[in-house]
Amino acid sequence: MAIFRLTRLVAQSKTLTKHEPIIHLRTATTTPTGAILPEPQKQPFGLLCIVFAVVPGLLIGAAISKNIANFLEENELFVPSDDDDDDD
């Protein structure tokens, strides 16, 4: 009985380990038939768009940091020391 189960298990494992090769296609650069897609159009104001995205992000981040620093100082959670670091 145990030998029968063992042989059936081995036979099933052989059928499970047979893998067919899988071909991966990059659909971002090729069509389903395999043809290469044409070059994408370029944005005429690319650098200007980057500036309009980065500058507001920096300004908003600076304002948030300033508000958090004021909150920490008002609640005495973090108070910068006024000691002079001069070695004179």
Side-chain angles (χ1 to χ4, degrees):
M1 177 73 90
I3 295 173
F4 175 71
R5 288 185 181 175
L6 184 61
T7 56
R8 189 174 68 181
L9 180 64
V10 170
Q12 287 177 351
S13 67
K14 285 182 181 178
T15 59
L16 291 176
T17 57
K18 292 181 183 178
H19 296 290
E20 294 184 18
I22 299 172
I23 299 174
H24 296 284
L25 293 176
R26 301 181 82 181
T27 57
T29 57
T30 60
T31 62
T33 59
I36 297 174
L37 293 173
E39 185 175 342
Q41 296 178 354
K42 294 186 178 185
Q43 295 288 336
F45 299 109
L47 184 60
L48 189 62
C49 292
I50 291 173
V51 169
F52 282 136
V54 170
V55 170
L58 289 174
L59 293 176
I60 291 170
I64 291 171
S65 298
K66 183 179 176 183
N67 289 337
I68 291 175
N70 286 336
F71 172 79
L72 291 175
E73 192 170 347
E74 286 175 7
N75 293 319
E76 297 181 4
L77 297 172
F78 175 76
V79 179
S81 62
D82 292 333
D83 294 339
D84 290 334
D85 292 334
D86 296 335
D87 293 333
D88 294 336

